[in-house]
Amino acid sequence: HLMEKFLNDSGTTFVVDSGASTFLPLWHYLLENSALGFLRSAGRSVFVHTVITGGQALMDTLNGFRELADSTQDQNLVVWINEFFGRVEAEGKTFQEMAAFRDSAEKVHGAVVILKRNQDTFGRDMEEMISRKLTFEEAIAAPEFHIMAKQRLKLVQRDLFDQLDRVFPS
């Protein structure tokens, strides 16, 4: 049903958020069935967004990135460098300096950095928005968010959207 939606809907952008536990099985299903080539032959572009997170999950997310990069032939990966749990660094190296990135740089279309901000303000606002399963637009319009929370969410939204515009210029 998902492939039919991709091919038959008039929309130009589709987001599939499979969650961490089902992402690799879904990716392997797409590869096994040559779904990416099928979508390309129908005029669709496919970009796979993957998260590299700081802190305890750094090595797990690096391994997931490496597996993803090893399984694609295209320059279709968008890396989200998420500093929420800490800087994305290991042994003094940034992500772009790590072997996982250097070995697969030609497969990376672009990157977006989610900056670590004040956890007591920005962090709490983002957690609230995510826990309510709201988009930025919905949270900014919601009466439950006070004016400074809305301002902080606007700042984060603008930062992320500006980066995405640089990754995917019009």
Side-chain angles (χ1 to χ4, degrees):
H1 296 292
L2 186 61
M3 292 297 289
E4 289 176 20
K5 186 167 186 65
F6 291 159
L7 294 169
N8 297 325
D9 270 15
S10 61
T12 58
T13 302
F14 300 91
V15 176
V16 178
D17 184 355
S18 64
S21 62
T22 57
F23 176 74
L24 285 176
L26 174 60
W27 178 245
H28 289 293
Y29 171 84
L30 294 172
L31 293 175
E32 178 182 327
N33 290 281
S34 300
L36 302 181
F38 183 59
L39 288 168
R40 277 192 303 276
S41 71
R44 300 290 190 175
S45 298
V46 178
F47 292 93
V48 181
H49 294 246
T50 185
V51 177
I52 305 293
T53 188
Q56 287 183 314
L58 175 61
M59 298 316 289
D60 287 340
T61 57
L62 282 173
N63 289 333
F65 166 78
R66 189 182 319 250
E67 185 174 344
L68 189 60
D70 288 347
S71 65
T72 188
Q73 305 305 312
D74 301 321
Q75 186 182 36
N76 63 343
L77 302 180
V78 177
V79 179
W80 287 72
I81 300 170
N82 186 350
E83 297 182 347
F84 185 83
F85 295 110
R87 296 186 54 82
V88 177
E89 292 182 348
E91 299 173 4
K93 295 180 180 180
T94 65
F95 174 67
Q96 288 82 356
E97 298 168 325
M98 294 177 191
F101 174 78
R102 285 193 333 268
D103 294 345
S104 305
E106 73 281 357
K107 297 181 181 176
V108 176
H109 182 78
V112 176
V113 178
I114 303 172
L115 295 171
K116 182 170 180 68
R117 299 177 189 255
N118 185 322
Q119 293 298 89
D120 294 329
T121 54
F122 287 89
R124 186 180 48 214
D125 299 332
M126 290 295 295
E127 283 183 26
E128 183 69 18
M129 180 182 79
I130 292 167
S131 72
R132 292 174 183 244
K133 296 179 173 40
L134 299 174
T135 64
F136 280 107
E137 186 176 316
E138 292 167 337
I140 291 166
E144 300 83 23
F145 287 85
H146 59 81
I147 195 154
M148 288 311 297
K150 291 178 181 189
Q151 171 62 13
R152 288 187 291 269
L153 290 173
K154 286 179 188 177
L155 291 172
V156 174
Q157 178 189 37
R158 185 177 316 125
D159 178 41
L160 296 176
F161 285 17
D162 286 349
Q163 290 182 68
L164 284 168
D165 285 343
R166 287 191 297 275
V167 172
F168 299 103
S170 304

